[in-house]
Amino acid sequence: MKTANSQETSPSAPFRLEGSIHEILMNGDRPSQVLPAAPGQETALPEPVFPQHPELFHCDDAKFFPVGGKRHWTASQIKRALAAWAVPYFRSRVSRGEFHPIIAYLFNEWKCNLDCHYCWAFDNKVHGMSEEVARRSIDWLHDTGCRVLALMGGEPLLRRQLTHKIVYYAAKRGFFVYLATNGRLLDPNITDRLADAGISTINLAVDAWDVKHGLPKAMAPIKANFDYLIRKQYKYGYTVFLNINICRNNLADVRQLTELANENGIATDYHICESPMTAQPGFDHMDNNPTFIRPEDHEQVAELIDWLIERQKTGYQMVNSVQRLAEMKQFVKGSLGTWGCRAGQNSIVIRVDGTLAPCFPVYNTQYDWGTIEHPKVDPEQLKSMKCQCESECFSTLNHILAFCYNDGRVIRWLLRQAAHGFQGIRGNMD
């Protein structure tokens, strides 16, 4: 088996998913566009009111800073989180059928302002999502019972006015809205607008402290934006966490960013660097990539993972479970087993053109999973695909969903949070 990131995958095998499944995915016939809107259907997003909370916009931030380091969550904030996560989860457990999205990844952009050498998830020739597709996506997801919307890219903030409109409209429809961004465009003005519009979580993707070869997502260029983001979260009720990709050339940076997050009372989320799972003709960094983990790096990577596990045990907030962090060591050696992926069942990707995919690694494939309003997700096709792709994929987001898709774990975790009045996250779901 090829290792996940070994340079041995280049140039003869520039992707990891082999066999008939890859051929089927790459040579399918996915829809070229969504069906026309129904007569009378609203297609434009409403213009956001700003500020819609002037009493917050104009008041002193310091009034909301945590007392004694403990952040207070209001009843309305707790209710919103439970309505977005718990209610759709339990609905999915009792409803018929396999397709019950709990979280949807809305790719409103496929362009990016940076070029991270491990990332193939952008093409600056592709037009971003239209207002019509964005609105119809949100309305369709609402009808499915989904209440968590993650804005993805590329860089979702390339068209900040559109992003503001999406957040505003989705929040008004009761969505828990999550934004993934590299932070370069997250200046105070857009932070204020997204916060006022009702953003719930900001996933700040940062891999290094200073910009380095192959890793432009760094803290130094965005430190002022980061500080402003941290200060405003208490007033508006959103959360922030750092999303860090473990690569061969940022092991010291991972430690430094982890400590920064802990000092600021926010969580971290870790990925392990992966080469493309499927063929990516536009990916230019397959050869001599400084980020891909090689066999000679395994010992140092294992030491870092053990350090992260120890930090989590001492109370550092981390999205990843201890079990999943430990499994990173298996993955880089090519010995990861199946893990119960729920992609295409409880999570769904909406591409910029409104077509669907079950997960991020197959975004650029041609298989027909349908479009918004007309999904064609086939449980048998997913099962067959996952027999080959699960062991080749370390999707942190989908693993968290799979790990949490367990009644016993969910109930125990909710009881633990309820015992503390839902004031802060107490431990991982285990």
Side-chain angles (χ1 to χ4, degrees), residues 123-135:
D123 182 341
N124 288 340
K125 298 185 294 293
V126 174
H127 293 294
M129 183 173 282
S130 68
E131 283 196 26
E132 176 183 341
V133 170
R135 178 165 185 155

Side-chain angles (χ1 to χ4, degrees), residues 48-351:
V49 174
F50 179 77
Q52 62 175 334
H53 301 292
E55 74 284 0
L56 292 179
F57 184 70
H58 295 293
C59 72
D60 184 3
D61 298 340
K63 293 180 180 179
F64 298 87
F65 289 172
V67 177
K70 293 184 178 181
R71 186 170 181 175
H72 176 74
W73 299 97
T74 66
S76 62
Q77 290 167 343
I78 294 168
K79 182 180 178 181
R80 180 178 67 167
L82 290 174
W85 292 98
V87 172
Y89 168 78
F90 287 114
R91 183 190 293 119
S92 77
R93 299 296 284 177
V94 300
S95 301
R96 291 184 177 182
E98 288 287 318
F99 183 64
H100 299 288
I102 295 171
I103 181 169
Y105 300 100
L106 187 78
F107 282 78
N108 60 308
E109 293 291 347
W110 196 243
K111 296 180 180 180
C112 195
N113 56 338
L114 299 179
D115 182 12
C116 303
H117 284 200
Y118 58 77
C119 179
W120 48 263
F122 73 98
D123 182 341
N124 288 340
K125 298 185 294 293
V126 174
H127 293 294
M129 183 173 282
S130 68
E131 283 196 26
E132 176 183 341
V133 170
R135 178 165 185 155
R136 289 172 61 185
S137 297
I138 293 166
D139 291 343
W140 170 66
L141 289 168
H142 189 275
D143 290 344
T144 70
C146 179
R147 292 295 184 276
V148 180
L149 185 74
L151 301 189
M152 307 291 287
E155 171 50 54
L157 289 178
L158 285 179
R159 291 180 294 161
R160 291 183 282 184
Q161 185 177 6
L162 174 67
T163 304
H164 185 200
K165 286 184 173 184
I166 292 173
V167 172
Y168 179 83
Y169 182 67
K172 290 294 185 186
R173 296 229 64 188
F175 280 84
F176 183 100
V177 188
Y178 164 118
L179 172 69
T181 176
N182 59 48
R184 292 290 185 95
L185 303 175
L186 193 65
D187 58 38
N189 176 59
I190 190 61
T191 293
D192 284 336
R193 290 178 179 274
L194 296 179
D196 182 76
I199 196 78
S200 298
T201 295
I202 293 182
N203 165 349
L204 196 59
V206 188
D207 302 320
W209 191 269
D210 293 300
V211 173
K212 58 177 59 178
H213 180 54
L215 294 177
K217 289 191 301 192
M219 179 56 67
I222 66 166
K223 188 58 165 60
N225 291 349
F226 172 78
D227 291 340
Y228 191 84
L229 188 67
I230 293 296
R231 189 167 74 249
K232 295 292 181 176
Q233 66 177 325
Y234 309 114
K235 178 190 291 188
Y236 286 101
Y238 61 82
T239 59
V240 182
F241 68 93
L242 295 187
N243 184 315
I244 305 167
N245 194 22
I246 299 172
C247 306
R248 74 178 308 267
N249 60 337
N250 73 337
L251 303 185
D253 298 90
V254 173
R255 288 178 167 86
Q256 191 172 5
L257 292 169
T258 299
E259 295 294 0
L260 175 71
N262 185 60
E263 291 165 6
N264 283 276
I266 63 173
T268 47
D269 175 29
Y270 302 94
H271 302 261
I272 193 79
C273 187
E274 301 180 55
S275 57
M277 181 180 292
T278 60
Q280 304 293 336
F283 183 60
D284 298 327
H285 304 300
M286 201 66 211
D287 296 322
N288 302 313
N289 192 311
T291 70
F292 287 169
I293 296 170
R294 305 167 186 171
E296 59 266 32
D297 305 314
H298 290 174
E299 184 176 349
Q300 286 185 300
V301 170
E303 290 175 358
L304 170 62
I305 292 168
D306 289 339
W307 182 87
L308 292 174
I309 290 171
E310 287 304 313
R311 290 301 180 277
Q312 184 178 136
K313 290 179 177 178
T314 63
Y316 284 41
Q317 299 177 56
M318 296 181 187
V319 176
N320 315 70
S321 67
V322 167
Q323 172 186 321
R324 194 57 172 176
L325 286 171
E327 287 173 352
M328 286 182 179
K329 293 186 283 188
Q330 297 172 247
F331 179 71
V332 296
K333 295 179 180 179
S335 59
L336 183 69
T338 57
W339 42 271
C341 179
R342 303 290 303 175
Q345 297 160 285
N346 303 118
S347 69
I348 195 72
V349 164
I350 303 177
R351 302 183 181 105

